[in-house]
Amino acid sequence: MKVLFIGAQERFETYRPKEGELGAFAASCEKRYLRRGADARQIAEAGQGAAAIVADPMTAVPGEAIRALPELRLIQSEGVGINGFDRPAADETGVMICNCKGVNAGAVAEQNILLSLMLLRRGICADAAVRRGGQMPMKEAMMLGGITELSQCRVGLLGFGDIARATARRLAPFGCEVSYWNRTRRGEEEERDYGVQYREKEELIGMSDIVMLCLAVTPETAGMVDHDFLAAMKPGAFLINTARGDLVDNAALQDALENGTLGGAGLDTLFPEPVLADHPLLHMAPAAMEKVIFSPHIGGITVGSFTRAHRLIWENLWRLSRGERPLYVTNG
């Protein structure tokens, strides 16, 4: 079976199963590689005869390429995201789109905790103060300003999928009050199991000390964190985004940070990606910049996440070769 991989060849080779029946199957497949960001023409040319495309979730698989590959049966995301894959074209041609649902949930949950703690403890500023020899003045300033423990915070999870549930599990030992909003409310037994309370979205936004975005980007959620959303947040609250930068209106977030209504933001994702030096959130007033923790979209890219993801990828390719339905088909 021929498979076209779009992304970093070194990563695909590193995490490919090497042992057992799955390893033998992976070794037997014909593999072609394209760089991330390849255009439709390049995908169509390299993918001739391919039964499957495995793509970095940050790349696009356009409809033009899908329609040009008559033997294509599966587009498999290397991660969870599938936004760049042309679903109407896949539906039209009978191509399944699959993702690696849940493989990075624990890793991203850890990033949610990390960003929250960094904001509460002013991690970047504190580190810089010690490095320049200002340890005692910084300590005095933090004692005067007060340090809030995570256990004292009300945490609100917007969305309650795999990542939000993993985050709730990891928040439990801290003793936080954890609430969630989801388009569909979970059952009472599940809420008890995860130690969470359901709140309507507006109530959750207004009461939470930390609001964590755990949502996929859809037409309904894109840009949802706008001026009104941020104005409705509790004064001094923190916003954590490890989901997608597309959820946030950059100008609205900049205003909220610069005018002081928002206490801070922990951002693993920004829109657009790649994030370049001229991004507006990198050029805020100094006081606002001190209230932001940036990380380079690394929440879900741990060794454990990649190991789980690539095993699932090859499991799905193996299923495809045997005429079986792959796992986590997202388009029916």
Side-chain angles (χ1 to χ4, degrees), residues 34-143:
L34 283 176
R35 60 175 176 79
R36 186 174 71 186
D39 61 28
R41 179 188 60 79
Q42 293 168 319
I43 295 171
E45 290 178 359
Q48 287 302 313
I53 292 174
V54 179
D56 183 311
M58 299 304 294
T59 199
V61 181
E64 179 184 346
I66 295 170
R67 296 185 183 96
L69 299 174
E71 296 182 50
L72 185 66
R73 290 179 283 158
L74 170 66
I75 302 172
Q76 170 73 55
S77 173
E78 189 190 5
V80 178
I82 56 170
N83 299 66
F85 308 159
D86 191 323
R87 177 167 176 163
D91 290 343
E92 172 191 324
T93 55
V95 174
M96 293 173 285
I97 297 176
C98 295
N99 68 0
C100 294
K101 181 182 183 302
V103 296
N104 65 355
V108 179
E110 289 185 7
Q111 193 77 5
N112 281 332
I113 305 296
L114 168 68
L115 293 173
S116 300
L117 291 170
M118 288 284 283
L119 287 169
L120 289 166
R121 302 288 175 138
R122 299 184 63 192
I124 299 296
C125 295
D127 175 87
V130 175
R131 289 175 186 270
R132 64 173 179 264
Q135 179 246 334
M136 285 308 297
M138 187 67 189
K139 180 177 179 179
E140 294 289 346
M142 292 180 74
M143 285 193 292

Side-chain angles (χ1 to χ4, degrees), residues 252-267:
L253 180 56
Q254 181 175 351
D255 286 348
L257 289 165
E258 290 188 330
N259 67 29
T261 58
L262 194 64
L267 306 173

Side-chain angles (χ1 to χ4, degrees), residues 116 120 148-156 171 174-179 207-210 234 238:
S116 300
L120 289 166
T148 301
E149 297 174 17
L150 185 52
S151 63
Q152 298 174 277
C153 295
R154 286 178 166 178
V155 179
L171 287 169
F174 288 92
C176 305
E177 179 184 323
V178 182
S179 302
M207 66 178 281
S208 298
D209 300 297
I210 302 173
K234 184 177 179 179
F238 297 144

Side-chain angles (χ1 to χ4, degrees), residues 54 76-82 98-105 162 305-306 308-314 316 327-328 330:
V54 179
Q76 170 73 55
S77 173
E78 189 190 5
V80 178
I82 56 170
C98 295
N99 68 0
C100 294
K101 181 182 183 302
V103 296
N104 65 355
D162 294 315
S305 292
F306 278 128
R308 291 185 291 271
H310 282 255
R311 183 163 188 83
L312 175 56
I313 287 167
W314 283 102
N316 272 354
L327 301 171
Y328 306 125
T330 67

